[in-house]
Amino acid sequence: MHLLILWCGFLGAWLLVAGPLFQARLELREEDFEADRIRASMQEVPPPREVSSWWLLLPPVWWWLRHRRHEEFEEAMLAHISDEDYAAFSSFMNKARGWVLVGLGGLLIAAKETWELVEGNEWPTVVFWLLLALGILAAIAHTALSIRSDRREAVRRQGVRGPVGG
C-alpha cells in the first residue's frame, strides 16, 4: 500500500505541472490580446540605445545603464499605446504571471513527490534526476502535442467545410 501511495503522489504531482501548463495555453490563447497591434506600435517607438561594451569593465554601471534605458523605452511604449491595448496587454501579462506561479508550485511539489518515490523504492539519486527530466519533458510534450493536434484539426475542418463564406 505504501508504494501505491508513493506512485499516486508522484503521478498526481506531475498532473499539477501538466494541467496548469495546458490550462495556461488555453486561457492565454483565448485572451483578447492584439499582439500584432502592439508589435506595430513597438515599431513606431525607437528601440533603446545600446549600452557601450566598455561599461562592462564596471558591470554594475553597465547593468544600471541598460536597465535605465529599458525603463525609458517601456515608458515611451506606455505613452504610445492606446488604453485598450494597454489593458489587453496588462491582462495577458497578469494571467501569464499567475500561471507561471501555479506551474512552478506544481513543479516544486512534483520534485518533492518524485524524491519521495525514489527514496521509498531505494533507487539511486540519478533516477530522481531522470524522472524529473522525464516529467518536465512529458508536461511540455503534452501541451505541444495538443497545440499540434488543434492545428491539424483546424486544417482538417477547413478542408471539410471549404472556404469561409463559400
Side-chain angles (χ1 to χ4, degrees), residues 22 25-26 29 143-157:
F22 180 76
R25 177 213 170 231
L26 292 177
R29 183 182 64 179
T143 300
L145 290 173
S146 74
I147 292 169
R148 188 172 152 206
S149 176
D150 287 353
R151 288 182 183 152
R152 190 173 40 240
E153 286 299 314
V155 167
R156 194 171 120 215
R157 183 167 192 250

Side-chain angles (χ1 to χ4, degrees), residues 14-28:
W14 281 104
L15 289 174
L16 290 176
V17 175
L21 189 59
F22 180 76
Q23 188 64 29
R25 177 213 170 231
L26 292 177
E27 282 189 27
L28 294 176

Side-chain angles (χ1 to χ4, degrees), residues 1-162:
M1 188 62 162
H2 179 68
L3 287 177
L4 176 65
I5 298 303
L6 289 175
W7 278 101
C8 288
F10 169 77
L11 294 172
W14 281 104
L15 289 174
L16 290 176
V17 175
L21 189 59
F22 180 76
Q23 188 64 29
R25 177 213 170 231
L26 292 177
E27 282 189 27
L28 294 176
R29 183 182 64 179
E30 290 174 2
E31 182 73 20
D32 187 26
F33 177 64
E34 299 293 335
D36 292 335
R37 278 197 332 232
I38 292 194
R39 277 190 210 101
S41 291
M42 286 181 74
Q43 299 297 330
E44 296 171 12
V45 176
R49 294 175 305 149
E50 290 294 321
V51 177
S52 170
S53 297
W54 286 104
W55 284 111
L56 286 171
L57 295 171
L58 299 168
V61 175
W62 177 85
W63 181 85
W64 180 79
L65 288 170
R66 187 171 179 269
H67 179 72
R68 173 117 184 213
R69 289 187 184 165
H70 281 278
E71 278 184 340
E72 290 169 358
F73 174 72
E74 287 174 8
E75 286 178 16
M77 279 299 302
L78 289 175
H80 183 72
I81 64 174
S82 70
D83 291 342
E84 180 183 285
D85 287 344
Y86 174 76
F89 178 73
S90 180
S91 175
F92 178 87
M93 291 305 293
N94 286 332
K95 286 182 182 178
R97 282 187 205 103
W99 280 116
V100 164
L101 292 174
V102 171
L104 285 175
L107 182 61
L108 292 173
I109 292 169
K112 180 242 182 226
E113 291 297 328
T114 301
W115 178 253
E116 295 287 334
L117 179 68
V118 168
E119 196 174 59
N121 283 294
E122 298 178 1
W123 293 335
T125 304
V126 70
V127 174
F128 166 77
W129 294 109
L130 291 172
L131 287 173
L132 194 68
L134 183 64
I136 291 169
L137 289 173
I140 292 170
H142 173 264
T143 300
L145 290 173
S146 74
I147 292 169
R148 188 172 152 206
S149 176
D150 287 353
R151 288 182 183 152
R152 190 173 40 240
E153 286 299 314
V155 167
R156 194 171 120 215
R157 183 167 192 250
Q158 184 66 29
V160 171
R161 292 185 71 193

